[in-house]
Amino acid sequence: MLLAFLALYKTRLQLAGVLLRAVVPVLLAGLTIRILLSNPGKSSGGQRTWLVGLVLSLSTAGIFWALPYGKKLYWRGSWDFPYPRTTPPELSRSQDDAQQGPPYTLLPGQSLLMGIGMWLAGWPCCLGALGLSFWGLRHILPVSSTSGFFGIVAMVGVSVFNQSRKLFLKGRRHLKVPMASPDALRPGSYVLYLRSFEDDKARTALKHYETPHGTSIFPGGFVGLVASSRDEEEHIADTLRPVGPLVAVGAPDEVLPFAGAVRTYLPKTSWHQPVRDLMARARLVTLTLGSSAGTMWELSEAMRILPPQRLLLFVPGMIREGEYATIRKKNERALRALPESGRNHTWKSDTLPSLPDCASVGRFTGPVIGVIHFSADWEPTFTRTAGTGVPWETLGNVDSFPWENLCTSLIRGLRPAFEQLVAYEEETGWHCG
């Protein structure tokens, strides 16, 4: 019975997640204490200080890696979204098309060989940078005339380590091959990710965020976001992976796709109908709120054609309270302007769907501060992510949860949305995967 239990893939994910979150931190902490308490008299003061710093740094890094990664594995093993049993007639496709699979094509700026080379080069660069940093720190104490030089060496190692993590990210962008055509996507087999093209570069920069008053901070979850060398979109893709792979429409002038969602590209002048088709065929549609004209059209169109259980909205951390109020008003105006025949049949006869009044918008920091999902009657619910639990005006530049990353902080907001999607698919019989 135990072997049969462990043979289940999702059960193994959950077990591995529990072990990483519960056992690995305890083992690392115990090993650290054991090393620090062993033979304290055989080392000089400087060597002892350096040894303590090295052991504490490595054990802390291991614990900060194990906690979020274990939580992500447990999250992926907690959901059972079954394979599609039925497909809506208007979205059905021929058996030959389904067997062909999505064709892929390289963009002009992509090179698989370069991507593999960057990925392989990142490891020795990271290890060398860490060694350089610890070697410099090793010679700072005891303080002497050369301590300043070795301090500079340690800072150079930290800088090289930071650039090495960006090298990993650049390599993954070369290896993220986009689809040649969105028509190759099987209905219900993917999660559509909508956002403003202008925000793609900012979400890949792994930079500091700022409060509404311009103060530079480390928001909750930022340490985990940077330390893993994965950008914001990759964390979102990891969180939504139980539902399906993340698919996004790329900017028409891109020469190198971003990591995270699989890109597909549409004509500049005739993109509205293809995006509408992608929405209708997606298992789940996610949208990062923004005030650009394209994002506002996508928001109102998603509300017009989708069941509420298949729509999920992300509230970005740097959105201002005034901008959010403007988005709400524009969206309500666009929905009110629709003719009766063009409205969603799931809307109430006397009211239109609207965005919630998020009192915490502008008060908390992070890449994504909350998630908005809708009930079957379009009642909106805003759930703040766990990694943004401390208001910026309360603790200023203190990172509230350094062991969290964006993936693990989003789990809190996505759980009720996933539960609603499971209930919707069981009720309608349209099971996708």
Side-chain angles (χ1 to χ4, degrees):
M1 291 178 63
L2 179 61
L3 291 176
F5 179 75
L6 295 177
L8 300 175
Y9 172 69
K10 291 185 176 295
T11 301
R12 293 201 303 270
L13 287 179
Q14 289 179 302
L15 181 60
V18 170
L19 292 176
L20 281 174
R21 295 176 63 187
V23 178
V24 172
V26 174
L27 290 177
L28 287 175
L31 182 62
T32 301
I33 295 174
R34 178 70 179 86
I35 293 176
L36 295 180
L37 294 180
S38 63
N39 299 326
K42 293 184 178 181
S43 303
S44 64
Q47 291 177 333
R48 186 65 184 171
T49 302
W50 174 81
L51 178 61
V52 170
L54 175 63
V55 172
L56 289 178
S57 299
L58 293 179
S59 62
T60 302
I63 292 173
F64 279 13
W65 171 84
L67 288 174
Y69 192 74
K71 192 172 183 179
K72 182 180 76 171
L73 289 181
Y74 188 86
W75 169 256
R76 292 184 63 175
S78 300
W79 300 97
D80 186 18
F81 289 93
Y83 192 79
R85 290 203 297 258
T86 60
T87 302
E90 67 273 13
L91 299 180
S92 62
R93 305 177 61 206
S94 67
Q95 186 175 1
D96 293 338
D97 290 342
Q99 292 177 349
Q100 287 178 0
Y104 295 92
T105 181
L106 291 175
L107 291 186
Q110 277 189 287
S111 170
L112 297 181
L113 186 61
M114 184 176 295
I116 296 174
M118 288 180 175
W119 190 84
L120 293 176
W123 287 106
C125 288
C126 281
L127 294 176
L130 286 176
L132 186 65
S133 298
F134 282 116
W135 181 73
L137 292 173
R138 164 69 178 82
H139 290 82
I140 289 179
L141 296 175
V143 178
S144 64
S145 59
T146 59
S147 295
F149 168 76
F150 288 109
I152 295 176
V153 170
M155 290 189 290
V156 169
V158 172
S159 177
V160 173
F161 180 75
N162 183 57
Q163 296 302 318
S164 300
R165 289 186 285 105
K166 294 181 180 180
L167 189 64
F168 278 118
L169 178 59
K170 190 69 173 292
R172 290 197 300 275
R173 292 183 64 182
H174 278 280
L175 298 174
K176 198 72 176 186
V177 184
M179 289 180 295
S181 171
D183 297 333
L185 290 166
R186 190 176 74 251
S189 65
Y190 61 95
V191 178
L192 182 63
Y193 178 55
L194 303 172
R195 79 282 169 226
S196 173
F197 292 151
E198 287 76 12
D199 296 336
D200 277 347
K201 290 184 178 180
R203 295 192 180 105
T204 322
L206 296 178
K207 60 182 181 61
H208 294 259
Y209 287 80
E210 294 180 349
T211 67
H213 293 311
T215 306
S216 180
I217 61 166
F218 286 103
F222 182 79
V223 172
L225 181 71
V226 174
S228 65
S229 76
R230 298 176 72 80
D231 64 16
E232 178 180 335
E233 191 175 302
E234 288 179 290
H235 282 284
I236 292 176
D238 286 340
T239 315
L240 296 171
R241 190 62 184 87
V243 182
L246 198 64
V247 174
V249 177
D253 56 349
E254 276 182 4
V255 295
L256 186 64
F258 292 92
V262 179
R263 262 28 180 204
T264 185
Y265 296 90
L266 302 174
K268 287 185 178 180
T269 56
S270 56
W271 58 272
H272 288 83
Q273 186 56 45
V275 169
R276 190 181 290 115
D277 294 339
L278 284 171
M279 289 183 189
R281 293 163 51 197
R283 184 178 199 176
L284 180 68
V285 175
T286 61
L287 182 144
T288 298
L289 291 177
S291 56
S292 66
T295 305
M296 292 304 306
W297 177 86
E298 291 169 341
L299 175 60
S300 60
E301 193 66 14
M303 287 184 164
R304 187 184 72 84
I305 66 176
L306 291 174
Q309 299 90 336
R310 287 171 53 199
L311 179 60
L312 190 66
L313 306 179
F314 293 129
V315 182
M318 289 300 101
I319 196 170
R320 303 299 192 267
E321 189 174 356
E323 183 182 3
Y324 182 78
T326 301
I327 293 172
R328 291 185 67 194
K329 292 178 181 178
K330 286 184 177 180
N331 182 61
E332 292 175 2
R333 189 161 52 244
L335 297 180
R336 198 178 301 114
L338 291 172
E340 194 69 31
S341 59
R343 297 188 175 187
N344 196 323
H345 70 279
T346 61
W347 294 355
K348 296 179 181 178
S349 57
D350 55 340
T351 58
L352 295 174
S354 62
L355 299 181
D357 183 11
C358 300
S360 60
V361 169
R363 295 183 61 245
F364 294 91
T365 55
V368 178
I369 62 168
V371 177
I372 299 173
H373 69 277
F374 301 89
S375 63
D377 57 356
W378 284 99
E379 186 68 27
T381 300
F382 172 78
T383 305
R384 185 165 45 81
T385 57
T388 54
V390 180
W392 60 263
E393 68 268 24
T394 302
L395 290 184
N397 61 349
V398 176
D399 193 330
S400 55
F401 295 103
W403 57 87
E404 291 276 5
N405 59 32
L406 179 57
C407 175
T408 57
S409 67
L410 280 175
I411 288 175
R412 173 185 175 187
L414 290 181
R415 184 171 296 279
F418 277 22
E419 291 172 350
Q420 286 195 168
L421 181 60
V422 170
Y424 167 77
E425 292 187 347
E426 290 178 350
E427 179 183 354
T428 60
W430 187 27
H431 290 267
C432 307

